[in-house]
Amino acid sequence: MIEKFLNEEQDPKAVEKVYSRLVDLLSSGEEIIYIAVQKKPLVNLFPDCIAITNKRVLFFTPANLGLSIKFVDFVWKDIVDVHTKEEIIGAVFSVKTTNGAEMAVDYLPKVQGRKLYQYAQERKEIEREARRQRELEQKRAESGSIQFDNPSAHAATAQQAYAAPAPVVTPPPAPAPVAPPAPAPIVQEAPKPDELTEKLKKLKTLFDNGLISQEEYNAKKLDLLSEL
């Protein structure tokens, strides 16, 4: 089970201990991507380890002479920077979070440090795209005061308003020989062009900016025109 995490000469015992702890920590849908193990010169009995999953970065530190292991984790959406620095002996991998917290492990084999940086950059790119999508949806939700609860219903109502014929009023016949009076002129209330024009302009702006679909635009336009 841990063989895929031993490709860059990781210490098998350290990987096994971290893996057994990780299995209990994984949340639903979370997968382990990579495990790196510290390799100190001369004495390397209780190395620190770093694990990367599709949701977090976890730093593991042995305690009680290796009898227990502590960990600190950071979710990808809270990580603003990852960095790998190669030194004469090994590499240093570090992360920095949105609240200014930093965590690092030194004396990592250089190949493992590069792998950590590669996988971390891939996850950060995925998180950036997810954040961009969330911000776009938020802007769409906050744009304008025109609501589109049921575009098809608005369209049907507007079409019925246009299709309904105007009622015809037939005046009663006048008694002879008096000539029938001339029909009273039909006075129609003038629309409010300024208010209607502003609503139509606002609707067109939402459509041009890609914040509403063609169907929503047509439905709301008919709805506004039906108020004339």
Side-chain angles (χ1 to χ4, degrees):
M1 186 66 69
I2 66 172
E3 287 76 12
K4 62 179 179 179
F5 303 118
L6 304 176
N7 295 328
E8 280 75 42
E9 300 181 358
Q10 289 92 334
D11 182 351
K13 292 183 179 179
V15 171
E16 184 177 6
K17 184 175 292 187
V18 167
Y19 181 83
S20 62
R21 183 68 183 276
L22 265 174
V23 171
D24 297 330
L25 297 173
L26 295 179
S27 60
S28 177
E30 187 172 13
E31 300 177 356
I32 305 171
I33 298 175
Y34 192 75
I35 298 176
V37 181
Q38 185 183 53
K39 189 175 182 180
K40 296 180 180 179
L42 301 179
V43 179
N44 194 51
L45 296 177
F46 309 114
D48 292 346
C49 298
I50 303 175
I52 288 181
T53 76
N54 57 328
K55 295 184 178 181
R56 294 179 287 174
V57 178
L58 300 98
F59 292 82
F60 291 90
T61 302
N64 299 322
L65 299 178
L67 297 177
S68 61
I69 188 168
K70 300 179 181 180
F71 77 94
V72 178
D73 65 329
F74 304 97
V75 294
W76 286 112
K77 70 180 184 64
D78 293 335
I79 296 176
V80 296
D81 188 31
V82 294
H83 185 68
T84 297
K85 179 182 179 182
E86 294 190 2
E87 300 180 336
I88 297 176
I89 301 177
V92 179
F93 178 79
S94 60
V95 300
K96 185 176 182 179
T97 66
T98 53
N99 61 7
E102 292 188 45
M103 193 76 179
V105 172
D106 56 5
Y107 293 113
L108 291 167
K110 294 180 181 181
V111 63
Q112 294 182 37
R114 294 167 191 160
K115 286 286 186 179
L116 284 172
Y117 183 77
Q118 174 188 342
Y119 291 130
Q121 288 297 325
E122 291 175 357
R123 298 314 307 178
K124 277 175 55 62
E125 183 62 33
I126 293 173
E127 180 57 36
R128 275 194 294 266
E129 178 61 23
R131 186 183 301 114
R132 190 185 71 83
Q133 291 296 332
R134 289 193 299 268
E135 292 174 352
L136 179 60
E137 291 299 324
Q138 184 178 1
K139 289 180 180 179
R140 290 193 60 182
E142 295 174 353
S143 63
S145 59
I146 300 178
Q147 303 295 325
F148 299 92
D149 296 328
N150 192 341
S152 59
H154 287 296
T157 303
Q159 290 174 357
Q160 291 175 2
Y162 277 97
V168 179
V169 179
T170 304
V178 180
I186 300 175
V187 179
Q188 295 182 347
E189 183 180 355
K192 300 178 180 179
D194 293 340
E195 181 180 354
L196 179 59
T197 301
E198 289 300 319
K199 288 185 177 181
L200 290 173
K201 287 181 178 180
K202 188 174 184 180
L203 182 65
K204 187 63 166 58
T205 300
L206 292 176
F207 174 72
D208 292 340
N209 292 334
L211 298 176
I212 60 173
S213 64
Q214 182 71 53
E215 180 183 0
E216 292 173 331
Y217 172 77
N218 293 338
K220 188 59 185 178
K221 183 178 179 182
L222 288 176
D223 192 14
L224 294 174
L225 293 176
S226 67
E227 297 176 3
L228 290 175

